[in-house]
Amino acid sequence: MDIQEIEQFILDAGSDSLAVFGGAYEGGAHIQQVPDEIARCILALLESGESIKSYLEIGVAAGGTTFVLNHFFGFEKIVLIDDNGHPKHRLRGQILKDVQREEIIGNSHMILPDILTPRMDRFDLIVIDGDHSYKGVKADFEHCLPMLNKGGFLVFHDTAHRLWGCDVPEFVGQLESDERVELVGEYISTKRMPCGLALFRKVAE
């Protein structure tokens, strides 16, 4: 599969906002990703050759990111955490109607240590797109890392987004020197105003 095929699927699936994310049309799966960014991230994951079967996403909104990633990887286990504060959360049931998943509604800073950690859930891929404050994204990372299988992948959204008090770029920049993870790549759109995605791989506990 090449990058054009991946990006075309994303375009055909539908954007949440043409103004914010670009895309071919608004609606469909309401994907809150810039198409060429997530397409390159997906290609890197596919080319890794790793089996990616268990998935955790923090900050789900309408479920567009889950929809796209599940199409390419066919996850055996999906756990979604969202506080349902985004107005598009009401679309999630329809967008993910054919996707087997567990949804946990609430604050990830409480759910991760109080619910998932005691269950000892482990994942091959984790997407963090929830609390964009420095303290919030750091807390999500620290709670998630023990749940990520060694060699597993961690994705941060909005790594190039510096509006509305978004601290993800600052945290991700510092994470590049963290010996527990290694940066696989950062995907920043060359076609429009970017949001940015950073892909890391876990190398140690």
Side-chain angles (χ1 to χ4, degrees), residues 18 32 39 44 59 61 75-76 79 91 98 128 130 138 140 142 147 174 182 190 192 199:
L18 295 180
Q32 295 187 0
F75 301 122
E76 295 174 358
V79 178
L91 301 174
D98 298 321
I128 296 178
K138 178 177 173 61
D140 283 337
E142 295 293 349
M147 300 175 191
Q174 295 175 2
E182 62 181 6
T190 58
R192 55 166 294 106
L199 176 63

Side-chain angles (χ1 to χ4, degrees), residues 41 44-45 153-155 182-185 187 197-201:
C41 184
L45 289 167
F153 296 96
L154 183 64
V155 176
E182 62 181 6
L183 179 66
V184 177
Y187 312 103
L197 284 169
L199 176 63
F200 287 84
R201 190 169 193 169

